[in-house]
């Protein structure tokens, strides 16, 4: 897993204060679809590194942030811009579908 | 050109790959980009697959099948099929990446897709309280009330699983008895957190940003009840995934792909089908695996027949 991990403690600095759009992948070890989508996100992050950052947040280890954003289904991929949620993508999807969802940020 | 392409990576697809690879057919298996491993990727303990007396986690079982298929030379591609041309002697499989693969035979083992209730707010609240995967989302409903819709094995399994987290699990079924196995039913009935609501159907899902309740209607007397729940898990069965082959492969009245008797042969020569996509009845990991064996052996037989015919044709006619 190459994508950076963020935590409850680092969320404000790493995500809310990010100067470019940043997508948080809310995931957990026991979630099969999360494992499936993870390598796809790594690839998107690699291909669009200059436009969009992608980080991961483990919901088991960081329940505070997961609860704050009302996560009830994972994988949940939220894009933050200037500290606000600007896009929500829920559920594992094939790469072209995710790229279409993220077109505003990586297009 | 390849000998064989297998589409699908559940127990049927991987078992077909194990047999085909061992028969030196060097199969290419298209596993899907996000749904690889099939339905068992969304389950926890699997206690009814033979050979694992202590049970095994669904994703672990599928990883083992994948490794076993690879051990004998199966090549796996993690992409989705977007188009299939099955009618000619050369079968063409187009992937999401645009890549096209050709083979002399295809095994189609795409399984089935979860059925939806078909309610107007279901899609909108999907991921915001409406879920199709208790093992993925159950933990977010600690000390909350949830509803499980359905009456088969998967509904009862989800209900039992959700009692780990939720305070109350309403199990809502439109009939007055379950289709689930006796073992599953005993477990559900014995659980004090599960409350069974018979003869009721979901008619409304309430909530602006997330689910705040559901409206159910009694199928016998029409009484409407609102249940205050934060989560709703839909487990009302699955439909065979046949959209890629409509117009090419014949379907059975049940909507599954029609096969010849106990074989895996479809209406097209060189095209075989296996697993839940041909099975309206049993739909177990072990039966799907067995069905994968049948398809691999049928494909092997078919390919051997083609080779024999070519050899016969290559012999110059005697004067």
């Amino acid at each position: 897993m190459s994508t950076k991990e963020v935590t409850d403690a680092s969320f404000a600095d790493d995500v809310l204060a990010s100067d470019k759009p940043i997508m948080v992948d809310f995931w957990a070890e026991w979630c099969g679809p999360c494992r499936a989508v993870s390598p796809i996100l790594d690839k998107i992050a690699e291909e669009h590194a200059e436009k969009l950052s992608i980080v991961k947040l483990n919901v088991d280890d960081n329940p505070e942030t997961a609860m704050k954003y009302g996560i009830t289904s994972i994988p949940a991929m939220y894009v933050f811009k200037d500290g606000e949620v600007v896009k929500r993508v829920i559920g594992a999807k094939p790469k072209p579908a995710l790229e279409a969802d993220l077109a505003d940020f990586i297009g | 050109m390849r000998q064989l392409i297998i589409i699908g990576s559940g127990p049927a697809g991987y078992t077909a790959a194990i047999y085909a690879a061992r028969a030196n057919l060097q199969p290419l298996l298209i596993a899907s980009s996000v749904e690889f491993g099939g339905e068992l990727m969304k389950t926890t303990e699997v206690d009814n697959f033979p050979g694992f007396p202590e049970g095994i986690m669904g994703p672990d079982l599928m990883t083992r099948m994948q490794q076993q298929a690879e051990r004998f030379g199966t090549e796996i591609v993690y992409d989705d099929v977007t188009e299939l041309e099955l009618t000619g002697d050369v079968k063409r499989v187009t992937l999401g990446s645009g890549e096209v693969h050709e083979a002399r035979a295809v095994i189609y083992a795409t399984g089935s897709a979860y059925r939806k209730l078909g309610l107007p707010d279901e899609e909108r609240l999907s991921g915001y309280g409406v879920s199709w995967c208790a093992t993925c989302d159950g933990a977010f409903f600690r000390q909350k009330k949830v509803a499980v819709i359905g009456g088969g094995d998967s509904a009862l399994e989800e209900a039992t699983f959700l009692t780990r987290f939720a305070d109350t699990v309403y199990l809502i079924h439109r009939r007055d008895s379950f289709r689930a196995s006796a073992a599953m039913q005993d477990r559900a009935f014995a659980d004090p957190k599960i409350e069974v609501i018979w003869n009721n159907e979901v008619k409304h899902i309430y909530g602006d940003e997330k689910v705040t309740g559901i409206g159910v209607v009694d199928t016998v007397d029409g009484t409407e009840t609102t249940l205050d729940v934060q989560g709703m898990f839909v487990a009302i069965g699955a439909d065979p995934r046949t959209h890629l082959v409509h117009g090419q492969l014949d379907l059975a009245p049940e909507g599954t792909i029609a096969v010849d008797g106990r074989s895996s042969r479809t209406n097209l020569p060189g095209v075989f089908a296996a697993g839940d996509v041909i099975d309206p009845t049993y739909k177990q990991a072990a039966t799907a695996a067995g069905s994968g064996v049948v398809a691999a052996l049928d494909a092997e037989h078919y390919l051997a027949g083609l080779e024999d015919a070519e050899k016969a044709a290559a012999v110059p006619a005697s004067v």
Side-chain angles (χ1 to χ4, degrees):
Chain A
M1 206 181 300
S2 56
T3 309
K4 183 182 169 180
E5 286 274 347
V6 298
T7 64
D8 280 346
S10 74
F11 200 80
D13 285 347
D14 286 344
V15 176
L16 302 181
S18 170
D19 50 10
K20 69 177 164 185
I22 180 166
M23 183 162 88
V24 182
D25 169 26
F26 294 89
W27 74 287
E29 203 68 62
W30 37 262
C31 157
C34 298
R35 288 196 228 175
V37 82
S38 177
I40 296 175
L41 295 181
D42 287 349
K43 211 168 265 172
I44 294 177
E46 208 178 286
E47 290 170 9
H48 302 280
E50 75 293 349
K51 287 183 178 160
L52 178 73
S53 313
I54 301 183
V55 295
K56 289 174 188 297
L57 182 125
N58 183 314
V59 296
D60 280 337
D61 301 338
N62 304 284
E64 215 173 279
T65 308
M67 204 183 292
K68 185 175 168 202
Y69 289 98
I71 303 297
T72 55
S73 191
I74 53 173
M77 292 148 278
Y78 283 21
V79 180
F80 290 78
K81 204 176 158 191
D82 303 322
E84 302 284 335
V85 179
V86 290
K87 177 85 189 169
R88 298 183 173 94
V89 182
I90 288 179
K93 298 181 184 188
K95 188 163 178 269
L98 278 175
E99 285 169 339
D101 284 339
L102 297 172
D104 286 350
F105 310 100
I106 61 177
Chain B
M1 187 179 21
R2 284 180 183 274
Q3 298 275 65
L4 177 65
I5 295 176
I6 298 167
I7 301 167
S9 57
Y14 279 140
T15 310
I18 292 166
Y19 271 72
R22 283 173 56 87
N24 289 326
L25 298 179
Q26 293 160 312
L28 175 72
L29 184 145
I30 316 295
S32 145
S33 63
V34 290
E35 293 184 286
F36 58 82
E39 221 176 310
L40 286 186
M41 294 299 281
K42 293 184 174 181
T43 61
T44 50
E45 290 90 359
V46 176
D47 281 330
N48 56 10
F49 200 85
F52 299 92
E54 313 300 327
I56 180 166
M57 298 297 276
D60 293 341
L61 179 60
M62 295 324 297
T63 305
R64 284 173 181 238
M65 287 192 197
Q66 173 210 322
Q67 289 165 342
Q68 197 172 350
E70 284 175 322
R71 179 180 150 207
F72 298 107
T74 303
E75 192 187 325
I76 301 178
V77 174
Y78 295 91
D79 201 346
D80 306 291
V81 175
T82 53
E83 216 187 314
L84 275 176
E85 288 172 54
L86 300 175
T87 42
D89 288 341
V90 177
K91 319 295 178 192
R92 276 189 198 84
V93 179
T94 308
L95 303 183
S97 63
E99 253 172 64
V100 179
H101 294 275
E102 294 183 342
R104 312 175 90 182
V106 162
I107 293 176
Y108 191 77
T110 51
S112 48
Y114 292 114
R115 208 171 281 161
K116 298 184 174 183
L117 288 169
L119 295 172
D121 293 307
E122 190 176 8
E123 205 60 45
R124 181 176 63 84
L125 291 167
S126 187
Y128 303 96
V130 177
S131 172
W132 280 267
C133 180
T135 54
C136 306
D137 305 337
F140 299 109
F141 297 90
R142 266 176 233 279
Q143 283 141 32
K144 297 200 168 139
K145 289 183 181 172
V146 299
V148 174
I149 321 299
D153 275 340
S154 56
L156 271 67
E157 192 192 338
E158 297 214 336
T160 305
F161 176 78
L162 286 166
T163 59
R164 295 187 197 184
F165 310 105
D167 280 346
T168 305
V169 178
Y170 297 110
L171 182 52
I172 298 163
H173 188 42
R174 62 192 167 122
R175 303 185 200 286
D176 61 4
S177 64
F178 290 131
R179 292 186 311 276
S181 67
M184 275 317 180
Q185 294 200 32
D186 291 347
R187 227 198 302 172
F189 289 138
D191 198 313
K193 283 185 172 179
I194 296 179
E195 188 180 318
V196 180
I197 302 180
W198 301 110
N199 297 316
N200 267 269
E201 277 183 328
V202 182
K203 284 282 182 260
H204 299 284
I205 309 168
Y206 301 111
D208 292 333
E209 297 265 289
K210 50 184 166 179
V211 173
T212 54
I214 57 173
V216 296
V217 173
D218 191 304
T219 55
V220 180
D221 62 16
T223 320
E224 284 198 45
T225 316
T226 302
L227 294 172
D228 157 37
V229 295
Q230 291 82 49
M232 180 179 85
F233 294 80
V234 186
I236 53 170
D239 293 313
R241 255 188 268 242
T242 55
H243 60 280
L244 286 167
V245 296
H246 283 172
Q248 300 188 72
L249 295 185
D250 290 345
L251 301 184
E254 295 89 349
T256 46
I257 290 172
V259 289
D260 181 15
R262 297 178 60 210
S263 82
S264 66
R265 291 188 298 271
T266 67
N267 56 301
L268 293 178
V271 181
F272 307 89
D276 284 6
V277 80
I278 65 164
D279 178 4
T281 317
Y282 306 105
K283 302 193 254 193
Q284 301 299 304
T287 53
S291 173
V293 176
V294 170
L297 295 177
D298 285 346
E300 194 185 335
H301 182 77
Y302 170 81
L303 291 164
L306 287 185
E307 209 166 289
D308 288 348
E310 277 161 17
K311 272 184 202 151
V315 176
S318 51
V319 183

